[in-house]
Amino acid sequence: MNIAKFEESMYKLVVETSTKLPKDVRRAVKAAKEQENAGTRAAMSLATITNNIAMADEQVSPICQDTGLPTFKIKTPVGVNQIELKAAIKNAIVQATKDGKLRPNAVDSLTGKNSGDNLGDGLPVVKFEQWEKDYIDVKLILKGGGCENKNIQYSLPCELEGLGRAGRDLDGIRKCLMHSVYQAQGQGCSAGFIGVGIGGDRSSGYDLAKEQLFRPVEDVNPNEDLRKLEEYVMENANKLGIGTMGFGGEATLLGCKIGVMHRIPASFYVSVAYNCWAFRRMGVSVHPETGDIIEWAYQDGEFIDFAAANEAEKETAAARTEDDVISLQSPITEEQIRSLKVGDVVEINGLMYTGRDAIHKYLMDNDTPVDLNGQVIYHCGPVMLKDEDGKWHVKAAGPTTSIREEPYQGDIMKKFGIRAVIGKGGMGPKTLAALEEHGGVYLNAIGGAAQYYADCIKSVEGVDLTQFGIPEAMWHLRVEGFRAVVTMDSHGNSLHADVDKSSLEKLAQFKEPVFK
């Protein structure tokens, strides 16, 4: 084996997976866009998503700033040195991180220290299997934290909100899958895909679920019962009205793939792996001696060039007049904030500051390194690169899931006078109450649109609290035309709570048995 050439092939696989959506996923996104009603917030979101895909194509930059936890599934002929392959993969991961194709995501679970190169205990995840074919098959998935956190596992029988009892049968499984889409709402960057594992134990069930995500979106399950179940879920999950980003709409689920394995009598698990619209998985066949890529996976069917498609839509997009968009210059006054209502589209200009999990925890007990009065906090862990002159550049900068900051957000806004928070997926009742009391808003940016928002960032003015690592540091970003939607206002209104309530009511319509 030419291990240097194999390492080069793995680097190419990592870059392709991070920066370019596969053909089948592109077709699914295109179908969702065509399905959505024009002029809605969901339609605007899908337009931003397709624009982002095109920008990532052109710039060979990460589609989403959260490049996830790299997971490799590898099948090798007997006799191939798997130790050498794993070492080469680690080298490729380190290089891709240096080049800004991956965000440094490996954090020590006890100390919180980021390794900076995506290596750590158990990372990247590399799983080997031997087979009798004469080539090496490598599959890679980059699954971000927002959608990973919406994975869910059911132990049957159980009681499900809106659906009642789910028993140990096909209909009980059906209820679990419908509930899994409901509970994700927009927090996993819908419209999404689900991989499902029926049976096994808690660990093997999740492994089987994630394995289903490697299936082509348009394939047909050879198991007749599972084929019918997949089709049922695809048809009816899209009736829940959750929509893209959880804004409400027609497209909620883009794919459902189900696998099954044996179990022990006492346990019956249904494991669901939820994946966002930025479905980054790719595969290659590699020559076992030369290390060269023989063939790329997921190449069947039409390639959707969103750059060409978006060009044709520019005139339509331009039809949105300036009167439709509210411009805000930071720092923002309470009076300006109180004038906003759910559904308003705003554009932020001026400075904003990133803050994620580590920053929020820190600010509960410490002072802020900058004056945040009237300012905007952006829930974002960007991909950053430093040039030869020591200047930082933003390579990808989409929003992270905000609900993780629910224990802190309201207190921090009141403590430091923060007026607006940008993120995705919405926040809960504690934050909503603080917005009303203090005079603040929650702005939902489009999850996964890391190139679209990086383009809005005109300069990096500074950085604080770098001890938490690049994703968790407080970056000072000067932005122009940073567009987001008001989904929680200072009058006690929450689009997220409304969509959750209405989708739960729709979920209850699927309570009666379907599969006998």
Side-chain angles (χ1 to χ4, degrees):
M1 160 72 80
N2 184 336
I3 203 66
K5 179 59 73 171
F6 179 79
E7 181 180 317
E8 180 184 319
S9 295
M10 292 302 95
Y11 177 84
K12 290 178 180 177
L13 173 61
V14 171
V15 172
E16 184 78 2
T17 308
S18 177
T19 64
K20 201 162 193 172
L21 280 188
K23 287 182 175 182
D24 58 339
V25 178
R26 288 168 180 263
R27 292 192 293 269
V29 171
K30 178 175 181 284
K33 189 176 181 183
E34 292 171 346
Q35 178 184 350
E36 205 55 70
N37 295 316
T40 62
R41 302 300 178 225
M44 182 193 77
S45 302
L46 283 162
T48 301
I49 284 169
T50 56
N51 186 24
N52 184 77
I53 295 168
M55 294 172 75
D57 287 345
E58 180 182 354
Q59 298 165 18
V60 195
S61 290
I63 298 163
C64 174
Q65 80 289 337
D66 187 354
T67 53
L69 187 154
T71 301
F72 293 83
K73 298 263 190 170
I74 305 176
K75 297 177 181 177
T76 64
V78 176
V80 170
N81 188 327
Q82 296 179 355
I83 297 173
E84 287 186 348
L85 298 191
K86 191 170 185 178
I89 286 171
K90 287 184 175 182
N91 290 338
I93 289 288
V94 170
Q95 189 60 51
T97 307
K98 286 181 180 177
D99 294 344
K101 308 303 182 183
L102 294 176
R103 186 178 73 183
N105 270 354
V107 177
D108 187 301
S109 297
L110 299 182
T111 67
K113 183 175 174 56
N114 193 312
S115 70
D117 59 8
N118 271 310
L119 300 186
D121 292 341
L123 300 182
V125 175
V126 184
K127 298 187 177 183
F128 287 102
E129 179 184 337
Q130 285 190 331
W131 66 352
E132 294 184 345
K133 295 184 180 180
D134 61 357
Y135 64 91
I136 300 170
D137 180 76
V138 185
K139 295 286 197 305
L140 167 63
I141 187 166
L142 301 176
K143 191 171 182 293
C147 61
E148 182 70 15
N149 289 346
K150 299 316 296 185
N151 290 358
I152 191 167
Q153 190 172 64
Y154 303 89
S155 178
L156 299 182
C158 64
E159 291 289 329
L160 298 175
E161 188 178 13
L163 293 168
R165 183 176 297 110
R168 291 185 163 193
D169 53 25
L170 199 59
D171 205 68
I173 296 166
R174 172 191 68 87
K175 287 184 176 182
C176 292
L177 303 194
M178 292 296 292
H179 183 269
S180 74
V181 178
Y182 157 74
Q183 63 86 34
Q185 291 291 305
Q187 294 174 11
C189 283
S190 56
F193 303 78
I194 57 172
V196 181
I198 302 169
D201 60 9
R202 288 200 180 273
S203 61
S204 62
Y206 264 133
D207 206 37
L208 178 63
K210 189 169 282 189
E211 181 73 30
Q212 302 312 300
L213 294 175
F214 287 109
R215 287 172 50 192
V217 174
E218 296 145 345
D219 77 352
V220 177
N221 199 314
N223 182 303
E224 185 66 11
D225 288 335
L226 298 185
R227 178 189 67 79
K228 290 178 180 177
L229 183 55
E230 288 176 355
E231 291 175 355
Y232 173 91
V233 173
M234 281 300 297
E235 177 184 354
N236 292 291
N238 285 303
K239 295 177 182 177
L240 295 177
I242 295 167
T244 304
M245 295 299 121
F247 288 170
E250 305 301 318
T252 297
L253 191 65
L254 304 182
C256 173
K257 302 297 175 185
I258 307 172
V260 63
M261 63 191 302
H262 279 58
R263 58 181 177 84
I264 60 173
S267 301
F268 196 127
Y269 295 113
V270 178
S271 310
V272 181
Y274 187 95
N275 209 97
C276 58
W277 70 261
F279 189 7
R280 293 156 292 168
R281 56 99 169 93
M282 184 49 69
V284 289
S285 301
V286 177
H287 195 286
E289 295 177 2
T290 68
D292 288 312
I293 294 174
I294 303 168
E295 185 178 22
W296 289 85
Y298 309 108
Q299 297 305 304
D300 293 338
E302 179 187 8
F303 175 85
I304 306 297
D305 182 357
F306 283 115
N310 292 341
E311 192 67 29
E313 295 175 0
K314 277 187 177 178
E315 289 186 15
T316 303
R320 175 183 286 276
T321 66
E322 291 303 312
D323 292 337
D324 295 323
V325 180
I326 299 168
S327 180
L328 296 173
Q329 179 77 34
S330 64
I332 307 169
T333 67
E334 181 179 352
E335 182 182 7
Q336 288 174 298
I337 291 298
R338 295 285 185 190
S339 71
L340 299 174
K341 61 185 185 300
V342 164
D344 286 341
V345 178
V346 302
E347 280 189 349
I348 305 291
N349 299 291
L351 276 174
M352 65 172 61
Y353 301 88
T354 65
R356 285 169 43 111
D357 308 69
I359 295 292
H360 282 75
K361 183 176 184 297
Y362 175 87
L363 291 180
M364 288 295 289
D365 303 315
N366 298 275
D367 199 4
T368 174
V370 294
D371 183 5
L372 292 176
N373 189 43
Q375 295 295 345
V376 180
I377 285 289
Y378 184 23
H379 294 164
C380 172
V383 178
M384 306 293 294
L385 277 186
K386 186 185 283 188
D387 64 23
E388 295 176 353
D389 299 322
K391 184 178 180 182
W392 285 103
H393 298 275
V394 181
K395 302 301 291 181
T400 194
T401 307
S402 298
I403 196 64
R404 301 194 306 273
E405 317 314 336
E406 177 68 8
Y408 313 113
Q409 195 67 74
D411 295 332
I412 287 173
M413 292 186 79
K414 290 185 286 186
K415 180 179 179 181
F416 297 110
I418 297 163
R419 290 296 172 196
V421 172
I422 303 174
K424 71 176 177 73
M427 303 194 76
K430 183 179 177 182
T431 300
L432 185 62
L435 297 179
E436 187 170 14
E437 175 190 343
H438 164 66
V441 291
Y442 177 84
L443 305 174
N444 206 120
I446 309 307
Q451 293 308 308
Y452 176 85
Y453 288 116
D455 192 54
C456 298
I457 298 169
K458 302 309 176 184
S459 63
V460 179
E461 304 282 302
V463 60
D464 289 301
L465 305 174
T466 54
Q467 67 266 32
F468 298 131
I470 285 177
E472 296 285 348
M474 178 181 278
W475 296 93
H476 312 183
L477 307 176
R478 186 164 296 279
V479 303
E480 291 179 11
F482 192 105
R483 187 171 292 192
V485 179
V486 178
T487 54
M488 298 170 68
D489 62 26
S490 61
H491 311 292
N493 303 307
S494 169
L495 175 64
H496 307 285
D498 292 345
V499 171
D500 186 290
K501 181 181 178 182
S502 65
S503 59
L504 180 59
E505 292 171 353
K506 292 172 182 174
L507 181 69
Q509 299 173 11
F510 302 104
K511 184 175 182 178
E512 296 305 315
V514 174
F515 295 98
K516 304 297 184 183

